[in-house]
């Protein structure tokens, strides 16, 4: 495919920016997206107080969902003029004092609080919310608290912050919404009884779909294709511009440096050529096989984006397009087993001992073994071998101990087992037979008789 250097550089920059910073585009989970959207909108526009938890494994897209909802809502004047968004992260705000100080700064109330002494945390929070009131309840400014890593807030002393936020939300003292994001599905059990009783128990789950490979292929295509002029117009319609006054909270990092495809320009001919090459990849059965295997390992979108980032990173003058071979190479690395690599790098004597252990485990149904048992089995084979004869016992013992250090085998613990001589201490195998077979196949310059012994059913 003919190309210009600057087009390829722009394409690489564009795809990297999309994979890393396009947090406003959210795929799937329409029902959950709408639930969060309605929750925040009702708080801002109708003064309703709510609390909810957004639960799901890491990398599923909880933060992306909330970001895409905020991008939609902050473009509306009725939302950003009637509400404040306070963003707290459990990894940063490690106690309630730091969290309250950050909330005060994000609500622009440092001057109002300056010099005042409060008797309790509740009094301080009540004062902050009182400052936002403007007569009746409908005119009070709503506050949306986003608590990232919600489970970490549960470890704070007496859960004071959570207690007071949920208390205000439940009693409707002021219009606030508390939305917690966490990867812990059992987070409700971490709440104290008094906090749990004030929580609305509204939980929104983002869980991986059982069979969403077709959606994965669509995601692969949409993330790697360049946008046409029509797609850019659709993007602008779905992602309205957020006014600068709505982005005056410096601590709301979710909305910082959002992806904008209009910052990149591509010739129409280049876009057509590039998208045609991506179409070929999508239709390729080899690519589909690799992506299917990767999908079976991990269904989450976050890790998948990082793999695509690696693909894009390899683009250069010698490799101006993404090839089937590069995808297969990424797939091989994704499926690679570190233990197999480690075992394939071990010495010939060590691999012989592992094969002897494998045969022992096959015969005795994975019963524990000791050094003497394995030495006897290895000795029987070595006597008939041309390459492994006359190896001294201390050398074999040293190799056996090295296998233990590498954690290919592990000693059985407990009771009288610890007092036995090391030659008679029982061990168990920590490898599967498949891993051993793969390692033997990968080892270069391994004598043929050893690989034949590994495959032999006669030990």
């Amino acid at each position: 495919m003919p190309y210009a250097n600057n087009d390829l550089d722009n394409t690489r920059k564009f795809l990297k920016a999309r994979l890393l910073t396009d947090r406003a585009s959210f795929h799937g989970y329409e029902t959950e997206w709408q639930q969060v959207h309605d929750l925040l909108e009702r708080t801002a526009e109708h003064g309703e107080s709510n609390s909810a938890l957004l639960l799901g494994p890491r990398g599923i897209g909880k933060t992306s969902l909330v970001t895409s909802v905020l991008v939609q809502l902050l473009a509306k004047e009725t939302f950003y003029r009637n509400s404040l968004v306070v963003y707290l992260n459990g990894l940063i705000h490690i106690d309630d004092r730091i969290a309250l100080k950050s909330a005060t700064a994000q609500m622009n109330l440092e001057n109002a609080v300056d010099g005042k002494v409060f008797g309790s945390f509740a009094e301080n929070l009540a004062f902050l919310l009182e400052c936002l009131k403007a007569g009746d309840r409908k005119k009070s400014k709503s506050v949306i608290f986003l608590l990232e890593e919600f489970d970490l807030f549960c470890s704070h002393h007496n859960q004071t912050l959570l207690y007071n936020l949920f208390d205000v939300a439940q009693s409707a003292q002021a219009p606030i919404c508390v939305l917690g994001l966490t990867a812990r599905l059992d987070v409700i059990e971490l709440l104290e009884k008094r906090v749990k009783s004030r929580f609305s128990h509204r939980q929104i789950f983002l869980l991986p779909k059982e069979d969403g490979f077709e959606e994965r292929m669509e995601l692969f295509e949409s993330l790697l294709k360049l946008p046409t002029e029509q797609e850019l117009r659709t993007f602008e319609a779905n992602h309205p511009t957020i006014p600068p006054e709505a982005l005056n909270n410096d601590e709301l990092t979710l909305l910082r440096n959002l992806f904008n495809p209009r910052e990149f320009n591509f010739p129409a001919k280049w876009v057509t050529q590039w998208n045609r090459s991506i179409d070929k990849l999508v239709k390729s059965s080899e690519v589909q096989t690799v992506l299917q295997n990767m999908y079976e390992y991990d269904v989450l979108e976050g890790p998948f984006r990082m793999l695509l980032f690696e693909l894009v990173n390899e683009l250069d003058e010698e490799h101006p397009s993404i090839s089937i071979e590069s995808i297969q190479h990424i797939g091989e690395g994704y499926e690679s087993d570190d233990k197999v690599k480690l075992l394939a790098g071990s010495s010939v004597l060590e691999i012989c001992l592992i094969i002897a252990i494998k045969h022992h485990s096959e015969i005795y149904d994975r019963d524990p073994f000791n050094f003497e048992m394995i030495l006897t089995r290895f000795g029987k084979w070595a006597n008939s071998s041309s390459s492994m004869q006359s190896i001294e016992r201390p050398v074999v013992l040293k190799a056996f101990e090295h296998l233990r250090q590498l954690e290919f085998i592990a000693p059985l613990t407990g009771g009288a087992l610890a007092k036995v001589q090391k030659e008679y201490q029982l061990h168990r195998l920590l490898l599967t037979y498949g891993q051993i077979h793969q390692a033997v196949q990968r080892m270069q310059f391994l004598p043929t008789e050893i690989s034949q012994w590994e495959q032999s059913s006669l030990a």
Side-chain angles (χ1 to χ4, degrees):
M1 157 167 109
Y3 68 95
N5 273 349
N6 57 340
D7 288 339
L8 184 62
D9 287 343
N10 272 346
T11 301
R12 191 166 55 229
K13 287 176 186 173
F14 173 85
L15 294 176
K16 282 183 177 182
R18 175 193 270 166
L19 290 167
L20 291 180
T21 63
D22 188 10
R23 298 184 298 277
S25 300
F26 188 73
H27 311 274
Y29 301 103
E30 290 84 4
T31 307
E32 292 81 359
W33 189 94
Q34 196 61 46
Q35 283 179 305
V36 174
H37 179 276
D38 294 346
L39 196 73
L40 302 187
E41 190 175 43
R42 286 201 304 269
T43 301
E45 297 188 3
H46 304 294
E48 287 185 21
S49 290
N50 287 302
S51 57
L53 286 176
L54 188 58
L55 308 169
R58 294 194 185 282
I60 194 84
K62 300 182 293 296
T63 307
S64 296
L65 184 148
V66 172
T67 306
S68 69
V69 168
L70 287 176
V71 166
Q72 291 286 331
L73 291 175
L74 284 169
K76 298 180 182 177
E77 190 174 351
T78 52
F79 183 85
Y80 74 79
R81 291 211 184 280
N82 292 333
S83 64
L84 286 170
V85 179
V86 175
Y87 176 74
L88 301 175
N89 191 314
L91 293 169
I92 301 167
H93 307 101
I94 54 175
D95 63 40
D96 291 342
R97 185 183 58 80
I98 296 172
L100 191 64
K101 191 175 179 181
S102 175
T104 306
Q106 292 183 54
M107 292 158 82
N108 297 319
L109 293 175
E110 299 105 316
N111 294 337
V113 174
D114 193 29
K116 287 191 181 295
V117 178
F118 298 99
S120 67
F121 185 95
E123 195 180 321
N124 194 341
L125 182 63
F127 175 78
L128 294 179
L129 297 172
E130 192 69 34
C131 289
L132 299 174
K133 287 189 179 179
D136 60 24
R137 182 177 160 214
K138 287 191 176 179
K139 289 183 181 175
S140 297
K141 205 156 194 180
S142 306
V143 187
I144 294 165
F145 284 89
L146 298 178
L147 306 182
E148 188 111 49
E149 305 291 346
F150 180 84
D151 52 298
L152 297 179
F153 287 99
C154 297
S155 62
H156 291 189
H157 181 63
N158 288 341
Q159 298 183 355
T160 312
L161 175 73
L162 298 181
Y163 172 77
N164 284 285
L165 288 178
F166 287 151
D167 189 47
V168 171
Q170 187 195 43
S171 58
Q173 299 167 26
I176 77 164
C177 175
V178 184
L179 180 61
L181 286 73
T182 178
R184 283 198 63 166
L185 301 182
D186 63 339
V187 71
I188 293 286
E189 304 306 317
L190 302 179
L191 297 174
E192 291 180 6
K193 192 175 179 181
R194 65 190 186 120
V195 180
K196 200 186 290 187
S197 66
R198 283 162 174 76
F199 174 50
S200 67
H201 288 267
R202 184 186 282 110
Q203 298 177 68
I204 302 166
F205 289 93
L206 292 188
L207 298 174
K209 294 178 181 175
E210 287 183 10
D211 186 20
F213 180 65
E214 287 182 12
E215 290 178 15
R216 172 57 59 88
M217 289 303 297
E218 289 171 12
L219 181 64
F220 173 81
E221 186 177 356
S222 65
L223 288 176
L224 291 182
K225 275 190 171 182
L226 297 177
T228 60
E229 195 59 39
Q230 185 180 352
E231 287 168 345
L232 285 173
R233 285 196 290 271
T234 307
F235 183 90
E236 286 176 352
N238 294 335
H239 298 76
T241 307
I242 303 173
E245 58 263 37
L247 294 171
N248 57 2
N249 183 353
D250 292 335
E251 294 198 35
L252 188 57
T253 53
L254 305 181
L255 301 175
R256 195 180 293 167
N257 301 324
L258 285 177
F259 175 67
N260 182 8
R262 282 289 186 193
E263 293 175 0
F264 301 85
N265 290 313
F266 301 101
K269 191 176 178 184
W270 170 258
V271 172
T272 307
Q273 286 177 339
W274 179 268
N275 289 349
R276 203 172 287 155
S277 71
I278 299 300
D279 283 331
K280 284 181 184 174
L281 291 177
V282 172
K283 291 172 185 172
S284 164
S285 58
E286 293 102 320
V287 171
Q288 288 180 12
T289 303
V290 172
L291 294 180
Q292 176 78 54
N293 289 339
M294 287 161 63
Y295 184 75
E296 286 170 2
Y297 272 94
D298 197 344
V299 298
L300 301 179
E301 186 181 324
F304 181 63
R305 280 175 175 258
M306 288 300 100
L307 283 165
L308 294 185
F309 187 88
E310 286 182 45
L311 271 180
V312 172
N313 208 34
E314 290 173 2
L315 293 174
D316 55 23
E317 293 178 19
E318 293 179 11
H319 307 92
S321 63
I322 297 171
S323 63
I324 295 173
E325 291 75 22
S326 61
I327 293 174
Q328 287 175 329
H329 179 68
I330 289 281
E332 285 170 14
Y334 193 74
E335 297 172 22
S336 69
D337 190 327
D338 294 335
K339 277 197 170 181
V340 172
K341 285 183 178 178
L342 197 59
L343 187 57
S346 55
S347 69
V348 174
L349 176 57
E350 287 165 358
I351 204 76
C352 285
L353 290 180
I354 286 288
I355 293 169
I357 292 169
K358 177 195 169 197
H359 286 311
H360 175 91
S361 298
E362 284 175 334
I363 294 167
Y364 295 104
D365 198 19
R366 281 194 170 263
D367 271 5
F369 53 86
N370 60 30
F371 171 71
E372 291 295 338
M373 294 176 187
I374 302 307
L375 180 64
T376 305
R377 188 166 298 280
F378 168 70
K380 278 183 189 175
W381 174 80
N383 289 335
S384 62
S385 159
S386 60
S387 56
M388 299 300 291
Q389 290 179 358
S390 67
I391 296 179
E392 295 179 8
R393 179 191 170 94
V395 177
V396 181
L397 180 59
K398 188 75 177 173
F400 187 84
E401 288 175 344
H402 191 231
L403 292 177
R404 187 168 71 179
Q405 289 169 357
L406 292 172
E407 296 185 3
F408 294 144
I409 59 175
L412 296 181
T413 54
L417 292 171
K419 298 174 184 176
V420 179
Q421 280 184 319
K422 61 183 177 180
E423 290 92 335
Y424 298 97
Q425 190 172 9
L426 290 175
H427 291 72
R428 59 192 173 87
L429 180 63
L430 298 180
L431 298 166
T432 64
Y433 302 148
Q435 286 174 320
I436 296 169
H437 180 68
Q438 282 182 46
V440 170
Q441 295 298 313
R442 287 189 189 185
M443 286 185 78
Q444 295 180 333
F445 312 117
L446 190 69
T448 311
E449 58 189 357
I450 296 177
S451 55
Q452 288 174 344
W453 181 39
E454 186 272 327
Q455 293 173 33
S456 168
S457 57
L458 300 171

